[in-house]
Amino acid sequence: IEKWRRPAHPPAIRVAHGRVTVAAARAPGSADVWLVRYDPREQDVEVKDGDNRGHTVVHRNVVRELVRLGAWHGHQASWRLPAATDDGLDTLILVQGVRGGKIFAAYKAP
């Protein structure tokens, strides 16, 4: 397993003109770039099984889309930003060590 050390200066992430760009930064290995779209609104969910069966619980920030945009190797890289499938979703971009490793940079789109 490739070991990552936290970069001294995390890579900058920019979203503009329908593209996601991760700037160059010293990187001891590879990382994955993820698009996360989530619903920040409260949602009542009826629990159908388990200890809370029959109860209604409130969920927030439910992930609706998780898309791997590509690999980042320390050099500037850019990917097309897929169109949102639902209105009202917020967007995050994450640079994460491979195989679910540490998150090295995050960007919340306005």
Side-chain angles (χ1 to χ4, degrees):
I1 294 177
E2 181 179 1
K3 293 226 175 191
W4 255 86
R5 292 175 307 281
R6 182 173 187 84
H9 301 285
I13 301 169
R14 188 182 75 211
V15 175
H17 309 294
R19 299 201 58 83
V20 173
T21 301
V22 178
R26 286 188 67 184
S30 298
D32 292 318
V33 179
W34 293 95
L35 164 70
V36 181
R37 289 211 172 101
Y38 65 95
D39 191 338
R41 299 168 289 204
E42 289 187 354
Q43 302 170 43
D44 293 332
V45 177
E46 183 180 335
V47 179
K48 298 187 189 286
D49 202 4
D51 292 342
N52 291 323
R53 181 182 13 189
H55 293 265
T56 299
V57 295
V58 177
H59 290 278
R60 287 185 61 156
N61 301 324
V62 175
V63 173
R64 298 292 182 195
E65 293 180 48
L66 179 63
V67 178
R68 182 180 179 273
L69 297 178
W72 178 76
H73 303 285
H75 304 286
Q76 180 171 309
S78 183
W79 298 269
R80 184 184 60 78
L81 182 64
T85 57
D86 292 321
D87 291 335
L89 299 182
D90 285 351
T91 298
L92 293 174
I93 305 297
L94 304 175
V95 178
Q96 182 178 26
V98 293
R99 296 185 192 95
K102 294 179 183 178
I103 294 175
F104 298 103
Y107 173 88
K108 183 177 185 292

